[in-house]
């Protein structure tokens, strides 16, 4: 009996989640049991998964083969540092979201809740299997299990037509992506492609493709994984599906599922293909930057809070893919240390995004529960009614905006360092492009902060825009606990970057055979060289806290010893009311005007004499108009043309047959 | 071989005798319950006698097994010659299994001419087993022709309003192909020195010109059955008008006869012509996959939609056969078996709804999940399998065929990959419109969920779809030796004999 490996345990957790999914079905009438037993048990599994992932970082890869699957290609599983890291991400984020779900679904009837719990746990199992799969078939099965489960989670409220539409669009694009992946694995085979055994990842690792086929594989993989990650122009499902899903599901999809696509990209390009040329990196970098900028611009003009977060996810995925492209460029150029730095930034940002995006999505869920409203134009001033939610969300918003000393700053800073430290690359055009790319990253990061000011300010600050908001209630304790945990994660990851980078080293080393030089300084992060740049979050925090305290006590004891309270200056208006506040649309207007070329703006504006003035503004994505509608129209046109051959007259059908016969006879007797 | 009568003979004659017995007893619909029970006993018995084929099958050899051979018309050297190998044996089982489901499916719905209805299916089942087991050219031809008669009657008598048109079209089409095959069979008889033995034909040397003409003749017989584009147009009408059971048998088994013919006749008898014309077969398969996918998108009738999707899926099968590698052929065979389960199940699902609402139009439904949750779950599984979702049987065959095609040409594989997208688009779109949403109208609100009988039928198929999806090894093991032998045989040119 061989000893039990970490992989055995991870597989056991997958089975355990599958078991919980099955158990949910038996609880069709027991909402309480589902919420208080099944979900907590699922969280235990998630926590265990995070621990297993952490242990796997420092352990050699383990593999095993299950006795099911295809002939000659049974299911292969493998746990190494890369899958370990993403298992941590999955485990941590889904633990937090799971706690939230216990509270969030308290009003759901037992039947639908059982179905939801079924798909929820299948979703978790599917994502874990994606990370563990070690052959093309197992990967595809896991990948589609994940897609299907999330589709059913998105369509939980399938009675609403928009949600059905969103779900269908999501599933269709997921399927298009899956086909691209299938083709990628078809090209990326082992040395004897006529046998099924050539499609295990081990066989792919051993085989070296010629450069042309390797590039085909990479482009197919970028397309396939890009469709899942939300790479422009394959992103259109994301702003539809995320708002449609229940908030914990949005959190998992955005926080974790999008990262499985990043995992896949890393796995295929750096592990399975190996030796990527620099131009792959250029492609990924360009697409990533376009995605980041596109995402943040659209986030700035949204008026639906969940849709705004969905666009912000697109932006963050853009960052990550840009970092991925930069890693490939440096790696191909022999700049090992820089490649390690960008890969570290990538992984760090993936984990960060999992935490703060989950936090923000579940937070919007609480707002939605409390107010029944997703449109930011009807919210406002909620910090007074939902202080827990508001303050914890503030941490999330600051983190995603990239402010120190929180975690978002660290990863963005690392990425920017990589840009700034870039020495001369061997390709002159790339040398010219890198500063431009850096400028785009900075612009997107700045706009991200702008977006978060709008998001937070419109929802939580100011006065309520609707009298009914006075009835808004604070979230229940499981929700608060969950948000507290996720927010704590953001803080901790922001304060201990040196340790984090040390933990990430095995992953980086496994992929690039290179690590960041670690000078053992626990206080100060100094990638590459302390002379160039360094950052010490604890010092930063200490200084900021000290200044704050100094000012506070200084004002209190030195400046007259008192704090004067008065009404804020009202600019001469005697009564400030909610209508005078900046609206979501108004706040986004400058961005909308600057980038109007990318948008189709639909507005209804009142004229001065309207009895019941109405205002509505909506900025639509032109990719939909330019790319998807023509494709849909072409498919419809082709279908109509094709159907013309099927008009139901036997005479014509027989003519087809005879024509075929004559064609064949002429052909074979030529 | 058993004393006197072999297992294969039993699989053929048990259902036929049961069917004839029903015809003799029947006629009076007041005794319908007894008739149904008898039909079920006949069908189950037919399945039970086929099980030893599986348990006693020797996976290590490509040779014919369970062989029975006796002289039938000595003057022309015609034999009653049966046998199965790894390619044909699974279809005998699939057919016998499907017959049980079909009898169950017609249990309540068919109220008129019950005995004749059940008898037609049982006789058809026996004849189909005959097609898969026959190793004598004439015997094959007789079974091949005879099996059309019960199906013709099933469509023409128990079909929908436009049944006569559909039945005639069906008959005309298949007859056209069969006559050409008869010419080919006779030609081979003389060329082989007076033998109707199919295995002997495999070894007959033939010139390329002769091979090409034989190819055309066989092509017509089998391509109509598959059906391949552009001789597919009979299928949607036949499916739409046929009663549920008829559609199930048609999709699950009858279509497979055409594809089976390519493997048993075309590839081994005219290997050089097969290589020569492979590009044409691949092109027609790809056209079927893409073109039919487009047509299926705009169907408003659920049965028509599934019929078109059958054509596209069978395009995968012929594609796999004509790329001449083990992944392609085994993938094609797995796809055939899987399609047997999945299309059969989907037609049964439409039947379940049709029995309640008497409409096949997608627009007449909506929100069925609210009133029939169990049914919706089953139909979801089958829709996903039809869309080729990994983990279901529908994916395995497509996966293998695409990987096999990739060895030959990346672009072909890419085109074949398109079908997965179309397949997902039309199947899931139909599912979304029929099942999801709020209850669309009072008729849907009054729907009752599936009863125990329907549950049993769908559950049996669901188990098959999932089992084959995660563990296809038992099936591919059975095929392996025969497929490899076939490929070796096809790789040898007949011109150098």
């Amino acid at each position: 009996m061989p000893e039990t490996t970490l992989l055995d345990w991870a597989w056991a957790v997958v089975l355990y989640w599958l078991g919980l999914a099955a158990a949910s079905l038996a609880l069709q009438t027991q909402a309480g049991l589902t919420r208080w037993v099944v979900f907590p048990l699922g969280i235990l599994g998630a926590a265990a998964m995070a621990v297993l992932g952490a242990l796997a970082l420092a352990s050699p890869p383990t593999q095993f083969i299950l006795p099911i699957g295809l002939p000659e290609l049974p299911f292969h599983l493998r746990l190494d540092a890369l899958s370990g890291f993403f298992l941590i991400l999955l485990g941590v984020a889904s633990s937090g979201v799971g706690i939230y779900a216990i509270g969030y679904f308290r009003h759901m009837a037992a039947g639908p809740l059982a179905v939801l719990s079924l798909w929820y746990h299948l979703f978790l199992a599917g994502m874990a299997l994606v990370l563990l799969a070690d052959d093309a078939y197992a990967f595809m099965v896991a990948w589609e299990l994940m897609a299907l489960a999330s589709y059913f989670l998105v369509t939980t409220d399938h009675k609403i037509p928009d949600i059905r539409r969103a779900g269908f669009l999501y599933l269709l694009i997921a399927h298009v992506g899956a086909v691209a992946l299938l083709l990628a694995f078809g090209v990326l085979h082992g040395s004897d492609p006529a046998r099924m055994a050539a499609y295990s990842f081990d066989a792919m690792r051993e085989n070296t493709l010629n450069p042309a086929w390797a590039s085909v594989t990479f482009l197919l993989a970028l397309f396939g994984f890009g469709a899942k990650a939300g790479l422009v122009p394959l992103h259109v499902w994301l702003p539809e599906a995320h708002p449609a899903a229940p908030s914990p599901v949005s959190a998992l999809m955005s926080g974790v599922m999008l990262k499985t696509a990043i995992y896949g990209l890393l796995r295929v390009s750096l592990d399975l293909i190996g030796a990527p040329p620099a131009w792959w990196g250029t492609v990924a970098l360009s697409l990533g930057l376009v995605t980041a900028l596109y995402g943040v611009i659209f986030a700035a003009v949204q008026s639906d809070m969940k849709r705004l977060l969905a666009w912000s996810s697109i932006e963050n995925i853009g960052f990550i893919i840009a970092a991925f492209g930069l890693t490939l460029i440096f790696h191909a150029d022999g700049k090992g240390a820089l490649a390690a730095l960008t890969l570290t930034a990538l992984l760090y940002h993936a984990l960060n995004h999992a935490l703060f995006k989950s936090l923000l999505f579940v937070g919007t869920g609480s707002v939605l529960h409390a107010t029944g409203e997703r449109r930011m134009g009807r919210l406002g001033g909620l910090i007074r009614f939902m202080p827990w939610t508001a303050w914890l969300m503030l941490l999330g918003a600051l983190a995603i905006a990239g402010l120190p000393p929180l975690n978002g700053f660290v990863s963005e800073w690392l990425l920017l360092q990589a840009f700034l430290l870039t020495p001369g690359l061997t390709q002159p055009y790339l040398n010219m492009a890198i500063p431009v790319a850096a400028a785009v990253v900075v612009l997107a990061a700045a706009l991200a902060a702008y977006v978060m000011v709008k998001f937070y300010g419109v929802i939580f600050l100011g006065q309520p825009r609707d009298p009914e908001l006075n009835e808004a209630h604070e979230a229940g304790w499981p929700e608060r606990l969950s948000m507290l945990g996720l927010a704590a994660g953001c803080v901790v990851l922001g304060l201990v970057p040196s340790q984090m980078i040390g933990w990430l080293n095995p992953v980086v080393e496994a992929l690039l055979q290179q690590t960041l030089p670690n000078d053992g300084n626990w206080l100060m992060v100094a990638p590459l060289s302390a002379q160039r740049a360094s950052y010490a979050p604890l010092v930063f925090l200490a200084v900021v806290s000290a200044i704050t305290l100094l000012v506070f006590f200084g004002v209190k004891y030195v400046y007259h010893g008192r704090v004067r309270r008065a009404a804020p200056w009202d600019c001469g208006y005697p009564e400030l009311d909610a209508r005078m506040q900046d609206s979501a649309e108004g706040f986004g207007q400058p961005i909308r005007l600057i980038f109007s070329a990318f948008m189709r703006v639909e507005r209804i504006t009142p004229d001065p004499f309207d009895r019941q003035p109405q205002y509505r503004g909506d900025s639509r994505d032109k990719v939909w108009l330019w790319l998807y509608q023509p494709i849909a129209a072409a498919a419809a046109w082709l279908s109509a043309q094709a159907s013309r051959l099927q008009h139901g007259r036997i005479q014509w059908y027989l003519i087809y047959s005879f024509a075929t016969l004559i064609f064949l006879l002429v052909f074979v007797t030529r | 071989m058993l004393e006197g009568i072999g297992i294969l003979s039993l699989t053929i004659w048990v259902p036929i005798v049961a069917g004839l017995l029903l015809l003799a007893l029947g006629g009076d619909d007041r005794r319908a319950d007894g008739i149904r029970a008898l039909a079920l006993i006949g069908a189950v018995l037919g399945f039970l006698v086929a099980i030893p084929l599986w348990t006693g099958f020797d996976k290590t050899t490509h040779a014919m097994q369970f062989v029975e051979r006796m002289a039938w018309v000595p003057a022309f050297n015609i034999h009653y010659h049966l046998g199965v190998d790894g390619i044909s044996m699974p279809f005998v089982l699939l057919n016998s299994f499907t017959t049980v489901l079909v009898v169950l499916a017609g249990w309540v719905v068919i109220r008129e001419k019950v005995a004749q209805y059940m008898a037609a299916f049982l006789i058809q089942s026996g004849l189909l087993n005959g097609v898969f087991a026959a190793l004598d050219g004439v015997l094959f031809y007789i079974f091949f022709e005879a099996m059309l008669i019960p199906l013709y009657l099933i469509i023409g008598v128990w079909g929908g309003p436009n049944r006569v048109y559909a039945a005639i079209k069906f008959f005309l089409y298949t007859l056209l192909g069969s006559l050409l095959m008869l010419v080919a069979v006779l030609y081979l008889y003389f060329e082989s020195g007076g033998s109707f033995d199919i295995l002997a034909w495999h070894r007959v040397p033939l010139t390329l010109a002769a091979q090409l003409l034989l190819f055309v003749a066989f092509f017509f017989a089998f391509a109509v059955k598959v059906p391949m584009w552009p001789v597919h147009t009979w299928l949607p009408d036949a499916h739409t008008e046929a009663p549920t059971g008829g559609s199930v048998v048609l999709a699950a088994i009858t279509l497979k006869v055409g594809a089976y013919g390519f493997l048993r006749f075309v590839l081994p008898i005219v290997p050089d012509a097969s290589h020569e014309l492979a590009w044409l077969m691949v092109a027609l398969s790809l056209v079927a996959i893409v073109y039919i996918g487009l047509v299926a998108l705009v169907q408003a009738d659920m049965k028509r939609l599934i019929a078109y999707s059958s054509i596209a899926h069978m395009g995968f099968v012929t594609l796999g056969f004509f790329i001449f590698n083990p992944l392609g052929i085994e993938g094609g065979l797995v796809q055939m078996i899987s399609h047997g389960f999945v299309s059969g199940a989907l037609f049964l699902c439409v039947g379940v709804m049709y029995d309640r609402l008497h409409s096949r139009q997608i627009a007449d439904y909506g929100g069925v999940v609210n009133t029939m949750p169990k049914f919706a779950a089953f139909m979801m599984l089958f829709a996903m399998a039809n869309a080729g979702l990994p983990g279901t049987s529908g994916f395995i065959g497509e996966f293998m065929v695409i990987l096999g095609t990739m060895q030959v040409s990346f672009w072909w594989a890419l085109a074949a990959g398109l079908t997965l997208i179309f397949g997902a688009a039309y199947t899931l779109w139909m599912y979304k419109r029929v099942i999801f949403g709020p209850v669309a109208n009072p008729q849907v609100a009054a729907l009752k969920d599936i009863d125990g009988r329907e549950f049993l039928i769908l559950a049996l198929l669901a188990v098959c779809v999932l089992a084959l999806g995660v563990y296809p090894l038992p099936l591919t093991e059975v095929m392996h030796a025969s497929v490899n032998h076939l490929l070796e045989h096809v790789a040898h040119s007949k011109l150098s004999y």
Side-chain angles (χ1 to χ4, degrees), chain B residues 182-340:
Chain B
L182 185 60
V183 177
V185 166
L186 292 176
Y187 179 83
L188 283 167
Y189 171 71
F190 291 114
E191 201 66 14
S192 63
S195 166
F196 280 114
D197 185 355
I198 296 174
L199 299 179
W201 290 351
H202 289 185
R203 295 184 298 272
V204 174
L206 293 165
T207 64
L208 184 60
Q211 286 196 31
L212 287 171
L213 284 170
L214 282 172
F215 186 97
V216 171
F218 280 124
F219 170 83
F220 256 82
F222 298 132
V224 167
K225 281 275 186 332
V226 168
M228 292 179 76
W229 189 88
V231 289
H232 64 278
T233 54
W234 62 273
L235 185 77
D237 289 313
H239 266 314
T240 322
E241 297 304 325
T244 302
S247 295
V248 172
V249 171
L250 191 57
I253 314 294
T254 315
L255 305 189
K256 309 305 178 294
V257 172
Y260 169 76
F262 277 109
L263 284 192
R264 184 63 81 219
F265 286 83
V266 177
L267 288 186
I269 295 178
V270 293
D272 302 291
S274 302
H275 281 289
E276 189 82 0
L277 293 176
W279 64 270
L280 180 74
M281 298 298 288
V282 169
L284 292 182
S285 306
L286 290 176
V287 169
I289 289 172
V290 176
Y291 166 88
I292 295 298
L294 282 168
V295 177
L297 268 178
V298 291
Q299 298 306 313
D301 179 313
M302 287 188 270
K303 267 186 139 180
R304 268 193 120 72
L305 190 148
I306 301 165
Y308 278 112
S309 104
S310 290
I311 302 171
H313 283 100
M314 290 306 285
F316 249 93
V317 175
T318 45
L319 173 65
F321 287 173
F322 281 88
I323 52 177
F324 305 107
N325 64 31
L327 280 179
I329 294 189
E330 277 182 27
L333 283 166
V334 173
Q335 170 84 340
M336 281 161 75
I337 299 284
S338 156
H339 181 254

Side-chain angles (χ1 to χ4, degrees), chain B residues 8 64-68 81-85 88 132-135:
Chain B
L8 285 173
M64 289 295 165
Q65 305 182 33
F66 307 100
V67 176
E68 298 170 36
H81 186 186
L82 304 175
V84 285
D85 62 358
S88 50
F132 289 116
L135 292 178

Side-chain angles (χ1 to χ4, degrees), chain A residues 67-73 75 119 136-137 140-142 144-145 148 151-152 155 158-161 164-165 168 171-172 175-176 179 182-187 189 192-196 199 213 216 220 634-636 638-650 652-654 656-658 660-665 667-670, chain B residues 165 168-169 172-173 176 180 212-213 216 219-220 229-234 236-237 276-277 279-280 291-292 294-295 297-299 308 325-327 330 369-370 380 384 387-392 395-396 398-400 402-404 406-407 410 413-414 417-418 420-421 424-425 428-429 431-432 435-438 469-473 476 480:
Chain A
I68 54 168
L70 292 182
E72 293 186 38
L73 190 65
F75 277 22
W119 291 117
Y137 184 64
M140 292 304 298
V141 170
E144 292 291 63
L145 174 63
L148 188 65
Y151 164 73
F152 280 100
T155 52
H158 64 83
K159 292 184 185 172
I160 301 168
R164 289 203 298 279
R165 210 180 127 260
F168 182 67
L171 195 57
L172 201 57
H175 209 74
V176 172
V179 170
L182 176 62
L183 292 172
F185 286 131
V187 182
H189 48 63
D192 181 10
R195 298 172 63 88
M196 274 317 317
Y199 299 95
W213 284 121
V216 170
L220 282 169
L638 279 173
S639 294
Q641 298 306 311
S643 308
R644 289 173 119 187
L645 281 176
Q646 314 279 140
H647 36 51
R649 307 218 359 224
I650 294 186
W652 275 103
Y653 292 156
L654 288 177
Y656 298 157
S657 304
F658 281 115
T660 314
L661 178 60
I662 288 165
F663 170 77
L664 278 175
L665 285 175
F667 184 78
V668 301
T669 55
R670 74 197 183 280
Chain B
Y165 166 78
I168 289 177
K169 193 165 159 188
L172 269 180
Y173 257 73
L176 173 83
L180 285 171
L212 287 171
L213 284 170
V216 171
F219 170 83
F220 256 82
W229 189 88
V231 289
H232 64 278
T233 54
W234 62 273
D237 289 313
E276 189 82 0
L277 293 176
W279 64 270
L280 180 74
Y291 166 88
I292 295 298
L294 282 168
V295 177
L297 268 178
V298 291
Q299 298 306 313
Y308 278 112
N325 64 31
L327 280 179
E330 277 182 27
V369 67
N370 301 299
M380 178 204 80
M384 295 298 165
L389 191 91
T392 64
F395 181 63
I396 309 256
E398 292 176 357
F399 184 70
M400 292 169 79
I402 288 186
L403 292 185
M406 191 77 86
Q407 323 297 311
F410 173 77
L414 186 74
L418 280 180
L420 291 177
I421 297 170
L428 300 178
W429 196 31
Y431 187 79
K432 185 194 88 162
I435 301 292
F436 280 155
V470 293
Y471 195 53
L473 193 66
T476 50
H480 208 62

Side-chain angles (χ1 to χ4, degrees), chain A residues 22-44:
Chain A
S24 313
L25 269 192
L27 298 174
Q28 299 258 9
T29 53
Q30 306 284 333
L33 279 180
T34 309
R35 272 177 56 226
W36 290 109
V37 178
V38 177
F39 272 99
L41 287 176
I43 296 165
L44 277 186

